[in-house]
């Protein structure tokens, strides 16, 4: 645990705790997220990793009865402090969920909606953002001829990539992925994983996953959560080849969880 | 925070959220103002006669003589109060068994096409305007009662029959929802014990869903108690405490409907009609309270 | 009695009563339509009523009902949307929310005659709007608003939560999410509910007798300036609706064909309500398709 927060990253948590009422779901976690890396959060169900992920862009704010203590630092600003403009903050942090949730709009509008809201004007500019976002999400070739069709008509895997493209459309610095491939078939999963590796060249990614192979394949750092606490955090190779903690080893070997 | 952000710029999204909140607050506030002023006006008008001492509360509630235009006018509202309660109770007695049977038909006997058949029937019945019920009551039920029973056909029986058809949809849809939400294993365990369908219905299904079904009955009664025109058209409107089901009678709503237009604001008669409106309103509170109590029981 | 026999008898009873309800509806609709359709003609639907002579129509009444409905919806829909959205998306569990819920419940349980009396006192007399379309529309708003709030709230509750989260994650304001992401998804349900509630408004009479009035001035159907006294569009003129007209001719109709007119008017009323029902279903589907831009619904 000591490795965390040794060097101040431009994005990191410090002593972050999350409560539902009096229940402490996440217990004082400090984690750095380096630029151009993928950090995987693993651990058994209910260990607090998803709650932790959701707190990184203050998504828990909307759940009544939840309170967050500690700090989340982005470029020297604690975004967990009072008075943070949460709406502005969320522009910087994109998010994709387990189940694809495209808007009930056309493929084009799904992507153009965010940029348009944030002040991009003119059809040409929007067209370009739509194309580049879809290209970055490796979806352009499949949908370029039917941009006006409903996003709901796409397959599950396509919908998920559309959601990634939607998140990219507002140029976030950070991408949070909550089990993005667990509802997809193997082929789609492969595509999404490929995409994550490409995207880390441009931004930093935090991913929650239940799939150990996936964590090993795509992440640079791995954090193992158990019962709301951070048990182990290190380079992924180290965690998977030679974990320091017995519990981590047992979980990775599939003994429990 | 850095100096630059100290001077907080008002961003577009802040303005949007503010506009939204103002708009919603206005709507909610209006809702509150409407209900508060409604209660206030009806109560202050309805109590005026008693406060000024022109009519005593007990004479109003228990007096059987309604003669507002006599030389010594009397404002006994018992004929109307009893008429309202009588038609409401009778309507509920007629409609409840029918509705429960319809709900059982939709959910237990033939869940497939039973629902497909009765759902639109219920929706259409609830969509028919009350004046149309009154018209049909006047041209079908009243002549039928006149030919079959002594009297003129108009009266409590005609009113109750018309109301019972009007509240069928209310009770049926609430009862059907209650039956449909029953856990499947409850029925299955009863069938597994070798019980027949009727034994299962009468000993397991109906007792468990009774509070929910009663909610439907109370909602139906609330509708019947407050219905004005359909009843007014068939009940005859004679201001007497009903002694027979086939004699002309009145309800609170029917006398308000007929007399309100012909009175001057502030007169004793006018205020007496407002007192009846107050009774109607208080009964609405009672019905809402009953529904809430039943719903609470249903949750446990 | 053997359980098997009891079961058979009970089942027979249940089926009989259920079918009896179907028979009541068929009889009711059949009676109204058979008696009424004979009397419905273009002339009946467009000409003015006669006081004493036979052959009067319901033209002004039909127009009044439709116009009043439009006015009412113009007031009710924005108000109902605002309060309904508040209840579905903003209200946090607590005393205030419970209180508003109670208010909506009580207001929707009030007998319509009380709404009419309140309208008479406050709008007609106190605000001096007199017996007029606008008074009627306000009274009908009191009557319809709680339903509209419920329709909106329920429609918003059926929208998947993930839609809202997706909007938040893009850095949209909550109000923008409500109006641009959630509302389009909820709209088909809201429109369907609104049209169904319009049927209820269209047939309402008790709330209107003392607000919109029981008479209609001689209308000049070639003058569409809303400020002219005899213009059909003038919202400050008294307006007897179709439903009120049915009640009136049944109670005090003097024309020899009063009963036929009542039958014809009833049929018109019922057919209109049936049309609203069909329209509600059709629109719900159509708008859903349009807003989601989908060629098929999945």
């Amino acid at each position: 645990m000591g490795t965390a927060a040794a060097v101040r990253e431009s994005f990191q948590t410090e002593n972050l705790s999350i409560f539902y009422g009096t229940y402490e779901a996440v217990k004082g976690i400090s984690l750095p997220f380096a630029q151009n890396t993928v950090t995987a959060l693993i651990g058994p169900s209910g260990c607090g990793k998803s709650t932790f992920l959701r707190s990184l862009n203050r998504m828990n704010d909307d759940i009544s009865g939840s309170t967050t203590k500690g700090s989340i630092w982005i470029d020297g600003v604690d975004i967990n402090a009072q008075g943070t403009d949460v709406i502005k903050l969320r522009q910087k942090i994109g998010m994709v969920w387990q189940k694809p949730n495209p808007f009930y709009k056309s493929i084009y509008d799904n992507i153009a909606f965010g940029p348009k809201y944030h002040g991009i004007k003119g059809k040409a500019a929007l067209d370009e953002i739509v194309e580049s976002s879809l290209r970055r999400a490796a979806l352009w070739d499949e949908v370029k001829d039917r941009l006006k069709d409903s996003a709901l008509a796409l397959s599950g895997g396509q919908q998920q990539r559309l959601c990634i493209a939607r998140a990219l459309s507002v140029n976030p610095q950070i991408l949070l992925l909550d089990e993005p491939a667990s509802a997809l078939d193997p082929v789609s999963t492969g595509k999404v994983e490929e995409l994550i590796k490409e995207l880390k060249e441009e931004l930093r990614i935090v991913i929650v996953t239940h799939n150990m192979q996936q964590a090993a394949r795509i992440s640079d750092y791995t954090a193992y959560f158990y019962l709301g606490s951070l048990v182990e955090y290190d380079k992924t190779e180290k965690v998977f080849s030679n974990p320091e903690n017995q519990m981590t080893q047992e979980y990775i070997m599939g003994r429990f969880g | 925070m850095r100096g630059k952000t100290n001077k907080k710029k008002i961003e577009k999204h802040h303005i949007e959220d503010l506009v939204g909140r103002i708009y919603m607050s206005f709507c909610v506030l209006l809702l509150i103002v409407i209900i508060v002023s409604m209660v206030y006006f009806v109560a202050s008008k309805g109590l005026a006669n008693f406060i000024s001492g022109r009519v005593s509360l007990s004479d109003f509630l228990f007096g059987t003589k309604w003669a507002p235009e006599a030389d010594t006018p009397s404002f006994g509202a018992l004929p109307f109060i009893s008429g309202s309660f009588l038609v409401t109770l009778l309507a509920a007695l007629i409609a409840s068994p029918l509705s429960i049977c319809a709900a059982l038909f939709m959910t237990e006997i033939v869940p497939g096409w039973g629902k497909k058949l009765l759902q639109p029937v219920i929706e259409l019945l609830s969509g028919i305007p009350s004046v149309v019920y009154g018209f049909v009551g006047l041209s079908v039920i009243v002549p039928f009662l006149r030919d079959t029973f002594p009297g003129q056909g108009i009266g409590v029986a005609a009113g109750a029959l018309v109301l019972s058809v009007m509240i069928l949809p209310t009770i049926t849809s609430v009862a059907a929802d209650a039956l449909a939400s029953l856990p499947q294993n409850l029925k299955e365990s009863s069938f597994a014990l070798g019980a027949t369908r009727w034994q299962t219905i009468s000993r397991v299904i109906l007792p468990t869903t009774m509070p929910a079904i009663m909610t439907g009955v109370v909602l139906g009664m609330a509708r019947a108690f407050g219905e004005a025109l359909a009843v007014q058209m068939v009940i005859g409107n004679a201001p007497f405490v009903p002694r027979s089901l086939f004699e002309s009678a009145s309800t609170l709503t029917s006398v308000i409907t007929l007399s309100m237009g012909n009175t001057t604001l502030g007169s004793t008669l006018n205020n007496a009609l407002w007192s009846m409106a107050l009774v109607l309103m208080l009964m609405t509170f009672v019905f809402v309270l009953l529904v809430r109590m039943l719903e609470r029981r249903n949750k446990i | 009695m053997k359980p098997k026999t009891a079961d058979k008898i009970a089942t027979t009873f249940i089926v009989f009563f259920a079918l009896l309800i179907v028979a009541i509806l068929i009889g009711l609709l059949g009676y109204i339509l058979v008696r009424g359709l004979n009397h419905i003609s273009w002339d009946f639907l467009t000409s003015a009523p006669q006081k004493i002579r036979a052959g009067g129509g319901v033209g002004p009444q039909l127009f009044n009902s439709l116009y009043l409905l439009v006015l009412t919806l113009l007031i009710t829909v924005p108000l109902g949307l605002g309060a309904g959205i508040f209840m579905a998306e903003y209200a946090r569990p607590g005393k205030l929310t419970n209180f508003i819920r109670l208010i909506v419940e009580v207001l929707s349980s009030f007998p319509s005659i009380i709404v009419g009396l309140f309208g008479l006192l406050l709008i007609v007399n106190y605000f001096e709007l007199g017996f007029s379309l606008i008074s009627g529309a306000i009274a009908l708003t009191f009557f319809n608003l709680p339903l509209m709030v419920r329709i909106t709230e329920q429609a918003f509750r059926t929208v998947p939560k993930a839609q809202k989260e997706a909007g938040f994650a893009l850095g949209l304001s909550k109000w923008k999410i409500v109006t641009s992401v959630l509302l389009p998804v909820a709209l088909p349900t809201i429109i369907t509910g609104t049209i169904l509630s319009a049927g209820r408004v269209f047939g309402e009479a008790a709330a209107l007798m003392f607000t919109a009035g029981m008479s209609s001035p001689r209308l000049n159907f070639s003058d569409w300036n809303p400020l002219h006294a005899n213009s059909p569009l003038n919202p400050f003129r008294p307006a007897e609706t179709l439903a009120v007209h049915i009640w009136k001719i049944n109670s005090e109709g003097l024309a020899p064909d009063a009963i036929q007119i009542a039958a014809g008017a009833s049929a018109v009323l019922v057919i209109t309500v049936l049309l609203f029902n069909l329209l509600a279903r059709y629109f719900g589907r159509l708008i859903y398709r349009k807003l989601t831009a989908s060629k098929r619904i999945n």
Side-chain angles (χ1 to χ4, degrees), chain A residues 104-107 109 146-153, chain C residues 286-296:
Chain A
Y104 288 36
K105 299 174 187 294
S106 69
I107 295 169
D109 287 342
R146 46 175 180 145
L147 291 174
K148 293 290 166 204
D149 281 11
S150 168
L152 301 177
Chain C
L286 189 85
I287 287 168
Y288 183 88
R289 236 175 289 174
K290 200 154 205 179
L291 285 171
T292 59
S294 67
K295 280 173 188 151
R296 57 211 141 128

Side-chain angles (χ1 to χ4, degrees), chain C residues 85-266:
Chain C
I85 290 172
F86 177 82
M87 294 308 284
E89 301 296 332
Y90 287 79
R92 301 208 169 229
K95 277 198 177 132
L96 178 71
T97 308
N98 288 344
F99 176 66
I100 299 170
R101 221 171 275 288
L102 180 70
I103 279 183
V104 172
E105 195 179 336
V106 168
L107 193 56
S108 69
S109 321
F110 270 162
S112 53
I113 182 94
I114 299 241
V115 175
L117 289 186
F118 174 67
L120 170 69
L121 192 68
L122 192 76
I123 309 159
V124 175
N125 290 331
Y126 187 79
F127 289 128
E128 296 183 351
L129 286 171
F131 290 130
S132 65
L133 277 162
I134 193 75
S135 300
I138 295 172
L140 286 180
T141 297
F142 298 159
F143 166 83
N144 204 29
L145 189 54
L147 193 67
M148 205 60 225
V149 174
R150 269 192 214 167
I151 289 168
T152 309
E153 188 185 346
Q154 277 165 10
F156 269 84
R157 286 197 190 282
T158 58
V159 181
K161 230 183 139 228
Q163 291 288 314
K164 201 173 16 169
E165 294 197 319
F168 275 131
L170 278 179
L172 305 175
S173 71
K174 188 163 184 184
W175 186 245
K176 180 73 180 176
I177 295 172
V178 164
T179 51
S180 301
V181 176
L182 307 183
L183 183 64
V185 186
L187 205 55
T189 321
I190 295 176
I191 290 184
T192 311
T194 307
I195 298 179
L196 286 178
S197 84
R200 211 171 73 111
V201 168
F202 196 78
E204 177 55 33
L208 290 176
M209 298 163 60
F210 304 128
T211 52
M214 294 193 250
S215 65
S216 194
R218 190 154 290 280
L219 295 180
N220 177 3
F221 277 95
S222 57
D223 180 359
W224 295 99
N225 184 337
L227 300 174
H228 292 177
N230 287 335
S231 161
L233 289 184
N234 182 354
F236 299 103
R237 66 177 175 84
E240 181 193 45
T241 65
L242 204 55
V244 173
H245 189 62
I246 294 173
W247 177 79
K248 206 172 84 176
I249 44 184
N250 269 307
S251 317
E252 48 197 51
L254 291 175
D257 57 349
I259 201 94
Q260 278 88 344
I261 292 172
S266 295

Side-chain angles (χ1 to χ4, degrees), chain A residues 49-79:
Chain A
K49 56 191 189 308
S50 282
T51 308
F52 176 77
L53 185 82
R54 287 169 57 87
S55 72
L56 293 180
N57 65 346
R58 304 267 310 256
M59 224 43 168
N60 286 333
D61 285 18
D62 211 46
I63 300 171
S64 60
S66 90
T67 45
T68 313
K69 282 186 186 140
S71 307
I72 304 166
W73 296 96
I74 294 184
D75 297 332
V77 178
D78 178 10
I79 60 155

Side-chain angles (χ1 to χ4, degrees), chain B residues 16-17 20-21 23 31 38 41 98 101 105 123-124 127 132 135 139 198 229 232-233 274 277 281 292, chain C residues 7 10 14 17-18 31-32 78 90 105 110 114 117-118 122 145 173-175 205 247 250 266 273-274 281:
Chain B
E16 274 174 8
D17 273 338
R21 279 199 174 269
Y23 164 57
L31 206 60
M38 242 165 139
F41 278 114
L98 279 168
C101 284
F105 184 78
E123 276 169 24
L124 288 176
V132 175
F135 166 68
S139 44
W198 173 241
L229 303 187
Q232 185 274 329
M233 286 161 87
W274 279 100
M281 192 159 91
R292 295 217 145 193
Chain C
D7 186 55
I14 292 172
F17 279 132
Y31 179 81
I32 296 164
Y90 287 79
E105 195 179 336
F110 270 162
I114 299 241
L117 289 186
F118 174 67
L122 192 76
L145 189 54
S173 71
K174 188 163 184 184
W175 186 245
W247 177 79
N250 269 307
S266 295
V273 172
L274 289 183
R281 276 161 228 279

